[in-house]
Amino acid sequence: MIDLDKFRDPAVAAKLVKRIEALCDGPAAFMEVCGTHTMAISQFGIRGLIPKSIKLLSGPGCPVCVTALSDIDRMIAISGQKDVIFTTFGDMIRVPGSHSSLREAKSQGADIRILYSPLDAIQIATENPQRQVVFAGVGFETTSPTIIATMLEAKEKGIGNFSVYPAFKTVPHALKAILESGRTRIDGFLCPGHVSAIIGSKPYQFIPAKYQIPCVIAGFEPLDILESIVMLLEQIRAHKKDGSTFSVQTEYRRGVPDAGNPHALSIIDKVMMPCTAEWRAIGNIPETGLCFREEYSSFDASKRFQVEVPPAIEPQGCICGQVMMGLHQPDECPMFGKKCTPESPVGPCMVSSEGACAAWYKYGTRN
């Protein structure tokens, strides 16, 4: 059991803030690449503690938010197929598609069930042998091993009426795409702690090496985040002083081994392989998706159910894609808190419990 109080000590936080103030000698933009970081930064009022010259940007770190609209439309279409039980984690059910949502499909009669574990889908498939059970495969490297392990269990048990709709994403090359877009000024990354617990620190090393930008793998408590900002600023200060090279550092040592989780990585590699993925409102990014290897393609719900859907239509005026690229803050969207609220969301960033807009709405825009 971890004593969280020691990561929330106000006296230590005050010392870290003073250290940040001493190190900050100009504007700096740091992108956090984890929805849990986004929520923690808002919940603990980090923006209000640090100098205004330091801008914290929310990146594409919310898996529900980055799920392509076309994938959501296909999931809705599959859920409407005869004898299908569609299963998903809770956040996905409220995300608007082009014309509907899984929640609306459920209200119209589709058998859609919210699960807390993909393993529950196996039980449902066992209890309903005459029906097809589909699980929404949404998530980053943190979530995908568990879902993939469920597929392996289904294969071992000979369960043939279970499949997964593959909308998995991987993080490192998405950061490369943002940097190479040339649209967002980024002086440092707060790399995702949960994802890094699986992949380790090595997959980020191309960022300081090629793009001359420091990275710190951060934990999720307020002292973790403040300490990580200190570490980024110290790298920048050292670089300015004597040309020190940037690197990937790990603040979240209690959760992230340098090598990650080899067992989880081996499960991913056994079943899936990298492929181009479509990120909502951003577009296609090579090597950021996970596709089934041929020997496991029978579990691919996108092939098992050949549904045709019209071209996806993004909601007019929604800037979720620009928020996830770090180009705008949530309250710069004209619909924020007016037409778009958690009760009536227009875009995914207002729906998800890890969405940037939801965080700003819940905890205030001046935190």
Side-chain angles (χ1 to χ4, degrees), residues 48 62 128 147 217:
C62 162
N128 297 272
I147 299 174
I217 298 170

Side-chain angles (χ1 to χ4, degrees), residues 254-282:
R254 65 186 185 281
V256 178
D258 286 338
N261 184 327
H263 178 64
L265 291 172
S266 70
I267 288 176
I268 296 174
D269 184 61
K270 180 177 182 178
V271 179
M272 314 296 287
M273 59 185 180
C275 62
T276 296
E278 182 183 358
W279 295 59
R280 181 163 187 169
I282 297 175

Side-chain angles (χ1 to χ4, degrees), residues 17-226:
V17 169
K18 285 190 176 298
R19 179 67 177 153
I20 290 170
E21 291 170 346
L23 287 166
C24 183
D25 59 0
F30 298 144
M31 174 175 279
E32 85 268 4
V33 193
C34 181
T36 311
H37 282 154
T38 298
M39 275 291 167
I41 287 168
S42 291
Q43 179 184 358
F44 295 107
I46 302 288
R47 288 188 186 84
L49 294 175
I50 61 178
K52 294 187 183 302
S53 57
I54 298 176
K55 198 169 186 179
L56 298 179
L57 307 171
S58 298
C62 162
V64 169
C65 302
V66 300
T67 299
L69 194 58
S70 58
D71 284 326
I72 295 171
D73 290 344
R74 289 191 186 95
M75 291 181 202
I76 294 169
I78 290 172
S79 74
Q81 299 293 297
K82 184 181 178 183
D83 291 331
V84 165
I85 302 173
F86 195 89
T87 60
T88 178
F89 292 136
D91 275 3
M92 277 303 299
I93 198 165
R94 296 181 61 236
V95 180
S98 294
H99 304 288
S100 181
S101 66
L102 288 168
R103 182 172 64 174
E104 291 175 32
K106 180 178 175 66
S107 71
Q108 293 167 7
D111 191 347
I112 298 173
R113 306 182 190 184
I114 297 173
L115 305 183
Y116 293 102
S117 167
L119 287 170
D120 294 339
I122 296 291
Q123 183 66 28
I124 294 172
T126 303
E127 294 170 350
N128 297 272
Q130 304 306 316
R131 303 179 67 185
Q132 292 290 323
V133 177
V134 182
F135 188 80
V138 173
F140 295 126
E141 294 93 330
T142 317
T143 311
S144 54
T146 304
I147 299 174
I148 293 168
T150 302
M151 280 184 267
L152 293 173
E153 181 169 330
K155 185 178 178 66
E156 183 179 341
K157 292 182 176 179
I159 298 173
N161 61 327
F162 171 71
S163 58
V164 172
Y165 185 91
F168 301 113
K169 303 283 191 298
T170 58
V171 169
H173 281 79
L175 307 187
K176 176 183 176 183
I178 290 174
L179 292 171
E180 294 199 341
S181 75
R183 300 171 64 192
T184 310
R185 174 190 167 179
I186 297 173
D187 299 300
F189 281 113
L190 293 171
C191 294
H194 290 152
V195 165
S196 305
I198 302 298
I199 68 174
S201 59
K202 186 175 180 180
Y204 307 111
Q205 289 177 1
F206 72 93
I207 296 174
K210 183 175 181 178
Y211 300 98
Q212 294 298 295
I213 292 174
C215 297
V216 173
I217 298 170
F220 303 98
E221 293 301 318
L223 298 191
D224 288 320
I225 294 170
L226 290 172

